[in-house]
Each structure stands twice: as structure tokens, then as C-alpha cells.
Amino acid sequence: MFKALKKIIIQKSGETHPHALLSLSGVLAAGAWGYKTGTVIRNRLYRSGWIARKQLPCRVISVGNIIAGGTGKTPVTIYLADLLTRMGKKTVVISRGYKGLSDKSAAVVGNGGQVFLDAHLAGDEPHMMARLKRFPVVVGKNRYQAGCLAVEKFTPDVLVLDDGFQHLQLKRDLDLVLMDHDFPLGNGRLLPAGRLREPPGPALARAHAVILTRCPENRPEKSHPVSCLAPGLPLFYTRHQPFLSGFFPAGPPKKNRGSGLRENQVSQTDLTVFQGVSVVLFSGIAHNRAFYRTLRSLGANILDHLEFDDHYRYKRADIRQIQDRAAAVKAQMLVTTEKDWVKLEGWTTWTMDLAVAGIRVVFDDDIGFHRFITRRLQP
């Protein structure tokens, strides 16, 4: 019942027409009014100093958004952590570890060379980032406690908070807000009538820059509407670039192990593996349809797409359903996302080849963004 109600609320959160008074949409609108009141009061208490904010002995950069759901925070977090590392900064990523079993207490997911917690314990995105083995990753619902653990274990120069914009308890030096290029404010309504986490005007007033994600390749030169909403705020345009993260031949887990491809070993030409191939997709991410559109743009012949909820925990029955469906439609290959794959690796026997598609972020002006970060981190 709860899942059915959640789906209805998500559907209603995309509506833009006026609410009927005696309807579910009207009830959600009333809830949004209460949510807005609570959010405004909370933010004012932090801003006025009535609620104290805690500070860590290193620089803190938050990568967040004002919309519930995926705007590409994890690819940007990875990009930023890699950039800081290239700049010679000891960098640690802090994540809440959503739906992981360690999200109530701080824990080290990986130290940049070893991975200690799986996706079940750490959460999907933290485990996925730790698997890159390029920087330490720490999880914890309380970002200050997680930050203290990171400082104790790694003495970082910079902490990067993944999805930290609303976590006002922790002071930061830089707030980067991500917004979807085509739908920056969703339907313009606050939770639960929409997807806004807080009123956009006051939220952007405390941001230091906006990063627009999923921008079209040939975007028009005219300014984006966000420029009017937050005049003078630095605005960066980014695109999501797919890559082949792994390819796993049919067979039991022991054959699959070690056959994955690391991101830095994969060239763009590997994406030709999808051209003209009949595939069945399965995914449990915030924007399943975006995954569908990406594979279609790569030339895949998509026979079916089995969609699951964001952060979905797959069961063996789900895998049987996926593979039975692929066999029934005579697919040549299964395709899923990196975020889904980290929850499946090592325990599933695949009856046909499986490809794992990843996403990296590309800045239109990467030199300008590099200069911006460098300038903001100066003493």
C-alpha cells in the first residue's frame, strides 16, 4: 500500500495544473505549505545563529541540489574529487549512504586503495565511488561525525559532501547546487506536491555556484532562466557522457569476476557494442527514462525496459524475471547501470551477456570551473 501511495505522490509531483480543493493534489498542496513553513523556519534559525553550526579543521565543499531525486550529484562529486586530487589536495568524499546499513553511524567505505563495505552496508553511490579507488569515501547520516572520522583517519585538505546542501549543521566553504537543464525547478512546487526541497530563491541566495546538468550538446547561446532567478551567481553547463563501465559474459559469478572494465580503461569507441544490438534494459535509479534515452541514442534496439524504484534492492526472483523476459523477447544482451551493478556483482549467474553503462560528467568550460575552484580554495 505504501509503495502504491508513493508512486501516486511521485506522479502528482509532476503536475503543473491548478489543484482541485477536495482531491489528493489539494491535500499534497496543503502538505507542501506546511513543509515550506517548517523549512523556512529551520533555515532562519541556522542563519541567525539560534542553531549552532559545527566546523571541521579542513575545507568543506558541498555538492547538492534543491530538487528531490537525481540531478547527477554522484558524477559531479567524482569529477570534483578527481579535480581536487590532481590539484594536490588530500580529498575525502562524505556521503549519507542512503539506504545503507551504516547510514546511522560513520564508517569508512574505502581508503582509496581498498574497499571495506559493500553496497548493502554502504549504500549504492558510496560503494560505487569507493570502487574507483581514487580517493577515500566515508558514510554517515550525521555529516559532522562522518567528517570527524575522515579527519581522524585521513587528515584531508578538503572534504566533498555528496548531497549536502540541506545539511546545514555542518559549515562549508563552498556550496555547489546542481539543477537539471530542462527541469531546474521540477513543477515549481515544494514537497510533497512537487519535488522542491526548499523555496528556490532563498536557497540559491546561499549557494556559491549553480551547475546545470544534462545539458543538450547543441544548446542555444541564450542565457538560461536560472540566470534570472539568481543573477550574478556563477553558472556552469555540463553534459552526461556515457561510457562502457563493464562487460560480463554469460556464466556463473566466478567467470564474471575480473571481467569488468575500469572507467579509465574504456574508450568511447566501446559504446559501439550497443549499435544495432537487441537489448533488454533494467534499472533502479531516479531517472530510469534517462537511461532508456541514453541507450537509444547509442543505437541499441531496446526490446524492453524493466524499471525499479531508486535504490532498489534486487532479489533473486527479480533477476529471474529479468532474464526470463530477455529470453522471451530473444534479446542478445542485458544492459544495466553502474549503480545497479554494484548491488549484483558476485552473486548472480547470467544466462546472457551483460553490459554495464556508466555516466561521467563533462563541463563545457572545464578550465573556467577549475579556476573557480582554485580561487575559492585560496586562503
Side-chain angles (χ1 to χ4, degrees), residues 54-60 144 147-152 155-159 170-171 173:
K54 297 180 179 180
Q55 188 165 5
L56 291 167
C58 61
R59 296 297 186 93
V60 178
Y144 176 72
C148 288
L149 179 62
V151 169
E152 175 190 342
T155 59
D157 300 311
V158 186
L159 293 178
L170 181 59
K171 285 186 178 181
D173 302 275

Side-chain angles (χ1 to χ4, degrees), residues 133-338:
K133 297 181 181 180
R134 301 203 291 256
F135 43 79
V137 179
V138 175
V139 291
K141 185 176 181 180
N142 185 310
R143 311 300 171 86
Y144 176 72
Q145 291 180 0
C148 288
L149 179 62
V151 169
E152 175 190 342
K153 296 290 186 181
F154 305 109
T155 59
D157 300 311
V158 186
L159 293 178
V160 178
L161 301 184
D162 183 14
D163 195 13
F165 190 58
Q166 282 75 35
H167 195 83
L168 301 179
Q169 179 193 37
L170 181 59
K171 285 186 178 181
R172 48 282 202 124
D173 302 275
L174 187 59
D175 267 304
L176 304 176
V177 174
L178 276 55
M179 304 180 80
D180 185 276
H181 179 276
D182 293 340
F183 304 99
L185 302 178
N187 65 354
R189 296 167 180 163
L190 270 73
L191 292 166
R195 293 172 53 215
L196 281 170
R197 291 175 164 181
E198 53 183 310
L204 293 179
R206 69 174 194 272
H208 297 100
V210 169
I211 299 174
L212 291 174
T213 62
R214 299 191 182 92
C215 298
E217 292 239 12
N218 300 311
R219 61 181 179 82
E221 291 299 321
K222 63 181 181 180
S223 62
H224 193 274
V226 170
S227 301
C228 301
L229 189 62
L233 199 63
L235 186 63
F236 297 96
Y237 295 83
T238 67
R239 291 173 283 110
H240 281 183
Q241 183 183 73
F243 65 92
L244 183 64
S245 176
F247 186 86
F248 304 88
K254 64 180 181 180
K255 286 181 66 177
N256 290 337
R257 253 183 226 122
S259 59
L261 300 172
R262 295 180 65 85
E263 178 181 349
N264 58 9
Q265 296 173 325
V266 181
S267 68
Q268 196 67 8
T269 56
D270 290 309
L271 295 173
T272 58
V273 72
F274 299 119
Q275 290 181 7
V277 177
S278 297
V279 303
V280 165
L281 314 181
F282 67 96
S283 59
I285 58 177
H287 289 290
N288 286 312
R289 300 311 293 171
F291 177 50
Y292 178 95
R293 289 191 295 270
T294 296
L295 265 294
R296 187 176 59 186
S297 71
L298 296 174
N301 176 25
I302 302 172
L303 302 178
D304 202 357
H305 183 190
L306 287 80
E307 301 181 41
F308 298 85
D309 293 338
D310 194 17
H311 301 284
Y312 185 76
R313 295 292 176 194
Y314 291 94
K315 299 176 271 302
R316 295 193 183 276
D318 299 317
I319 303 305
R320 285 195 298 271
Q321 177 197 4
I322 292 166
Q323 302 200 112
D324 288 348
R325 179 57 181 163
V329 298
K330 295 182 171 54
Q332 297 171 277
M333 185 191 301
L334 287 165
V335 189
T336 192
T337 73
E338 274 192 301

Side-chain angles (χ1 to χ4, degrees), residues 32 39 79 154 167 250 365 371:
T39 299
Y79 178 97
F154 305 109
H167 195 83
D365 182 14
R371 288 173 177 164

Side-chain angles (χ1 to χ4, degrees), residues 7-51:
K7 287 184 178 180
I8 292 173
I9 291 175
I10 291 174
Q11 178 186 355
K12 294 292 183 182
S13 71
E15 295 179 351
T16 57
H17 55 74
H19 297 303
L21 184 60
L22 298 177
S23 66
L24 176 58
S25 297
V27 172
L28 295 178
W33 182 86
Y35 177 86
K36 176 182 178 180
T37 302
T39 299
V40 169
I41 292 173
R42 173 180 176 270
N43 290 352
R44 285 179 178 174
L45 289 174
Y46 271 109
R47 190 168 62 248
S48 65
W50 279 93
I51 300 180

